[in-house]
Amino acid sequence: MRRVVVSRDTIIKQKFEVLFREHFTGLCYFARKYTGDLDSSKEVVHSVFIKLWENRHAFDWEKPAKSYLFTSVYNRSLNYIRDKKRFINRGDLTDPMHVDEAAYNDHLETAELESLIASSLQHLPEKCRKVFEMSRFEGKKYAEIAEHLDISVKTVETHMSKALHILKEALKDYLMVVVLLMLKNMNRW
Amino acid sequence: MAMATENKHMDPAGLLPKIFSGEATPQEEQLVHDWLVTDPSHQKEYDDFAKIWDITAGFTEPGTIDVNAEWRKLMTTLTPARKISPRLMHITRIAAAVVLVSALAFYGLLQSGKQVNAPRSSTLAATLPDGTRVTLNAGSRISYKKGFGYSSRNLVLDGEAYFEVRKNEELPFVISAGEARVKVTGTMFNVKAYKKKPEIKVSVSEGSVMLYKTQQPEVQTQLVAGETGTFNNALGVMKKYISLNSNDIAWKTRIIDFKNTPLQEVAEILTNTYHQPINVDDAILHCVITVHFENQELDSILGVLQSTLDLSISTKGKRRIISGKGC
C-alpha cells in the first residue's frame, strides 16, 4: 500500500481551485444583477476570490463555502455600486439601501440557472452552438442561417434538434422548478 | 398511412424551434399536432422543449465567460511579489534598468511563442523559460505561446516527452495533448501523446500530476509516483494503473528491463528507444525473454536476443527483421 502525503497547503489550493471553477460563472451572473454588466461583475468576483486566498489559512475549508461566496459577492457588488455612484449618478442602478431579501434569493436562483445554461451552451458542439445562437439570439430564420453557414436547411434543423436535446438533458433537473422561477422573474428579465 | 408512420418516428425537436419562432408552415404545424396526439408523453416532451426555448431567452451574450482564462488571470494576480528590503533598493533600481533593457529584447522572442522540435533520429534536451527541463523523444515537438513561464505555463505536446518540472505552486504547468490535459506544479513524469495514436499515456516517476479532459476540468484524476494514467482520445475514456513500466521511459534512461516480455513488445520498446524500425516475424511474436540492459547500443541488444533465443536478424534498408523457428 502506497502512502501519499499531501500537504495542507496543497489541499487548500485544490479546494480553492475547485470552488473557483464551480462557482465563478454563477457568481458573475449573480453580480451582474447588481453591477449591470458582465465585465464589472467579473471584477467583483475576482476581488472576492483574491480576498478568500489572502484569508485562506483562517478560512474553514470543511464547511460548504457557497453561501459565503454569494454573500461576499453580494456585499462587494453593493460596494461597487456605491463607489460608482460617487462619480456618476445612474438612476437605473439598484440602491443598496433598498435591496430586499426576497430579491436577493431570486437573484441567486436565476443566476445559478443562467450559469448552468451558459455552461450547457458552451458544451454544445461548435457548429451546433453557432446554429442555435443564430436562431435563438440573433433571431435569424432557418434559411438565413443555412445561407450564412453554407449548409442545407435540413442540416440547420438537425443542428437545432441536437442542441435542444443536449440542453434538455443538461437542464433536466431544472425543468421542474423553472416555470415557477420564470414567473417570479418575468418582470426583471 | 405513410404519413402516420412518418409521424411516429418524427423527431419533433427539429421542427419545434420553427413552431416557437413562428417559422413553421401549416403542414409542419399539422405534423407536430399529429405527433402530439399520438402519445400523451409527447405533450410532456413538447413542454420541456418549450421551457428550454423560453429560458434561453435572456442570453444575448453567451459564451463570454471562459473559466479557464479567468483562473489563469487570477493565478497571475495571486503570484506573490517578492519583498525587497530598503537597503537593497538602489541596487535593485540599477538592476531593474538592466533587466528592463534585456526584457524588451526578450519580449520580441516571447511575442511569437516558440516551438521545439526533436530531430527524427535522436532525442533532444531543452530547458524551458520557467526552468523546466524537458527531453523530447525523436520526432516529437512541443510548442508554447508568448508569456510561457510568466503568465502561464501551458504547452502543447505532439509525440513523447519526459518532463522535470520546476516547482511553482502559483503557476501550474499544463500539457495539452488532444483532448487530454496533464497538470502539475513540480514533478517528473513522461507523457506519450502521438497524434497518430488515440491513446495518451502519462507515467509518473516523482511527485504527482493531475489528468483531465479539456471539456471537464472539474473532474481530475490524480496520478502519483509509480502510477500510470491513460486517456483514449477516440473514446474519451480515462484509466489509472497503480503500476509503472520503467520501459516507458527507456528512450530517455536507456535502461531496459524485459521480464517475460513477448518479442512483439520488445520490438516496440526498442523502436521507441532507438528510433530504428524493427519487425518481428509472426511465428515468434509471442516468444518471451527476460533480460536487463543498461546503456547498450541497439546492435548489442539484438545480439543478446539473437543468441539467447536462437534468432536470425537481417536488415532491409534501415529496417531490421527478426525471425526464428518459434519457441
Side-chain angles (χ1 to χ4, degrees), chain B residues 262-272 276 278-280 322:
Chain B
L263 284 181
Q264 181 171 23
E265 199 183 324
V266 167
E268 280 167 20
I269 292 165
L270 291 179
T271 301
N272 197 42
Q276 305 285 340
I278 299 166
N279 280 30
V280 181
I322 308 177

Side-chain angles (χ1 to χ4, degrees), chain A residues 21-39:
Chain A
R21 291 189 181 279
E22 205 170 291
H23 295 300
F24 185 83
T25 314
L27 288 166
C28 284
Y29 283 112
F30 178 63
R32 187 173 65 167
K33 304 235 170 280
Y34 301 96
T35 63
D37 69 287
L38 208 52
D39 278 339

Side-chain angles (χ1 to χ4, degrees), chain A residues 13 17 21 46 136-137 161, chain B residues 11 53 59 68 70 169:
Chain A
K13 175 82 192 291
E17 179 168 355
R21 291 189 181 279
H46 268 288
R136 197 69 196 93
F137 310 127
S161 159
Chain B
D11 175 22
W53 190 260
F59 278 81
N68 284 329
E70 297 295 338
E169 293 275 355

